[in-house]
Amino acid sequence: MPLNPLYISHLASGGLITNYYCSSACRHCLYRCSPQWPKEYISAEQARENLQTVRRLGCLAVHIGGGEPLLNPEGVAAVLEVANQVGVHIEYIETNSSWYRSHAAACTLLDSLAEQGLSTVLVSISPFHNERIPFYKVKGVIAACRETGISVFPWVSDFVADISTFDDQKTHSMEEYQQLFGEDYLERLPYRYWISPGGRALETFGRFSTQKPISQLAAESSRGCSELAEVGHFHIDLYGNYVPGLCGGLAIGAEDLGTPLDPETYPIISRLYSKGIGEFESYATEVYDFTASQAAYGSKCELCYEIRRFLVVEQGVDSRELQPQGHYVYG
Ligand code: SF4
Ligand code: SF4
């Protein structure tokens, strides 16, 4: 049976990934960002191309995320300027607050970004972030936003009480949280926080899921991964990769959006979209001699990631659709 090509004909809501390097390495990070990534940042030209693509496909507003975007304030300013020129509204910038040094310096930076049109900052608040970033920095950024008239989107306020139990001048490990709030603290986090089942969340939370044999996962996803067609929370990165759905490590060239994907160029995404994880596993076994390391997995996405990592890291596959390679190398 021929493959049914994925066709992204329009975009609803999403974001621009300006960089993958990050001052944190959160256990749940969908894009496996960390300090290990090279310090590469989106150029003004790539930002323009991405935003023109987004606009062409009907989306007139995006957010800016990373990695930590504000590790390069000049880069953020350039993106804001380009967004103004292209006519795409920037809804907010996400930040982990690690860049905070003093109230005065934070106000100066935020003032200058407000002049470029920045109106809202999404401030990350979670125990994952608190493993690497002292909470006084988060509070400092929130105070600086208030002083400079920038709206704060706290994500998520529900954790403030937990985090405030500890010394805000220091970082605190998940083990400390578990000692204080119970051994099952980590396991319960997905009930309090929207965590996408991808990226490092696969390793962090997969063990808490019911383990299913590959044959069962294949049968359950035999109608294909419709997630790949989701356009309600898309991302386009600094290399011109459109991330289909929330499937970090898979990529469609931004130039290929707006037309049905060619299965010759996108054999993996086409198989996953048409026939699901079973078809992808059969393809990887047949063409690349893949052998699963486990008999059962917590989700189809865990197996999907294991196969993709095998292709990139073990087999040296360099394809348009397994990008950025750092997702597999630095993750
Ligand atoms: S979740 Fe955000 S702060 Fe944490 S590693 Fe990923 S990009 Fe960095
Ligand atoms: S199995 Fe792969 S393609 Fe399908 S939803 Fe999971 S990560 Fe995405």
Side-chain angles (χ1 to χ4, degrees):
M1 202 168 76
L3 297 173
N4 176 26
L6 176 60
Y7 175 23
I8 307 290
S9 60
H10 76 286
L11 296 175
S13 176
L16 209 55
I17 296 176
T18 51
N19 54 307
Y20 287 104
Y21 66 91
C22 189
S23 37
S24 188
C26 302
R27 293 174 193 246
H28 68 317
C29 185
L30 181 56
Y31 294 114
R32 297 181 179 270
C33 299
S34 76
Q36 269 73 50
W37 284 74
K39 290 194 168 51
E40 293 170 353
Y41 203 88
I42 197 166
S43 65
E45 295 73 32
Q46 188 66 57
R48 184 180 304 279
E49 268 184 45
N50 289 358
L51 292 173
Q52 283 172 340
T53 299
V54 163
R55 200 181 151 86
R56 173 169 61 84
L57 292 170
C59 178
L60 299 179
V62 296
H63 63 269
I64 295 176
E68 171 49 48
L70 286 167
L71 292 177
N72 184 341
E74 297 79 20
V76 170
V79 172
L80 290 172
E81 189 179 344
V82 168
N84 277 330
Q85 293 164 356
V86 174
V88 172
H89 175 62
I90 299 297
E91 295 168 306
Y92 57 86
I93 292 183
E94 298 175 352
T95 188
N96 65 19
S97 304
S98 61
W99 50 274
Y100 180 86
R101 297 285 174 272
S102 70
H103 184 70
C107 288
T108 302
L109 171 60
L110 292 170
D111 258 336
S112 71
L113 296 178
E115 277 173 29
Q116 297 271 359
L118 178 66
S119 61
T120 305
V121 172
L122 180 152
V123 179
S124 297
I125 301 172
S126 86
F128 300 117
H129 294 84
N130 194 223
E131 289 199 283
R132 306 265 178 158
I133 300 153
F135 200 47
Y136 82 89
K137 289 181 178 253
V138 177
K139 291 193 276 190
V141 168
I142 291 172
C145 284
R146 298 234 157 95
E147 179 144 338
T148 52
I150 289 180
S151 302
V152 175
F153 177 5
W155 184 254
V156 290
S157 306
D158 180 49
F159 289 122
V160 170
D162 295 8
I163 298 168
S164 299
T165 313
F166 297 102
D167 180 352
D168 73 357
Q169 298 296 308
K170 297 180 182 165
T171 57
H172 300 281
S173 68
M174 188 56 65
E175 289 68 33
E176 285 178 80
Y177 279 88
Q178 287 175 306
Q179 276 167 17
L180 195 62
F181 296 110
E183 268 309 306
D184 61 347
Y185 187 78
L186 177 63
E187 189 176 348
R188 285 189 284 112
L189 284 179
Y191 298 100
R192 304 173 59 189
Y193 193 30
W194 180 76
I195 294 174
S196 184
R200 274 197 291 270
L202 293 173
E203 289 93 78
T204 303
F205 294 103
R207 62 200 143 111
F208 301 128
S209 305
T210 306
Q211 303 297 301
K212 296 180 180 177
I214 294 173
S215 56
Q216 185 180 346
L217 294 170
E220 286 174 359
S221 92
S222 63
R223 304 179 85 171
C225 291
S226 58
E227 297 90 331
L228 291 162
E230 285 295 325
V231 293
H233 196 82
F234 70 83
H235 289 91
I236 303 191
D237 77 9
L238 59 152
Y239 307 115
N241 298 313
Y242 171 86
V243 186
L246 288 169
C247 303
L250 285 175
I252 296 170
E255 68 282 1
D256 291 330
L257 298 174
T259 52
L261 288 192
D262 177 3
E264 295 285 323
T265 312
Y266 294 95
I268 295 172
I269 290 176
S270 298
R271 279 172 171 76
L272 284 162
Y273 179 62
S274 293
K275 299 180 181 177
I277 190 64
E279 179 72 14
F280 179 33
E281 197 235 359
S282 300
Y283 169 77
T285 303
E286 202 175 299
V287 179
Y288 295 100
D289 210 15
F290 169 77
T291 308
S293 67
Q294 300 166 206
Y297 292 80
S299 70
K300 64 179 180 178
C301 304
E302 268 185 64
L303 175 57
C304 186
Y305 178 71
E306 181 177 306
I307 301 172
R308 291 189 270 125
R309 188 176 181 284
F310 167 79
L311 296 182
V312 173
V313 176
E314 309 291 327
Q315 296 290 304
V317 171
D318 183 8
S319 83
R320 183 66 195 90
E321 53 187 341
L322 296 179
Q323 299 292 338
Q325 293 213 336
H327 186 84
Y328 304 99
V329 175
Y330 308 118

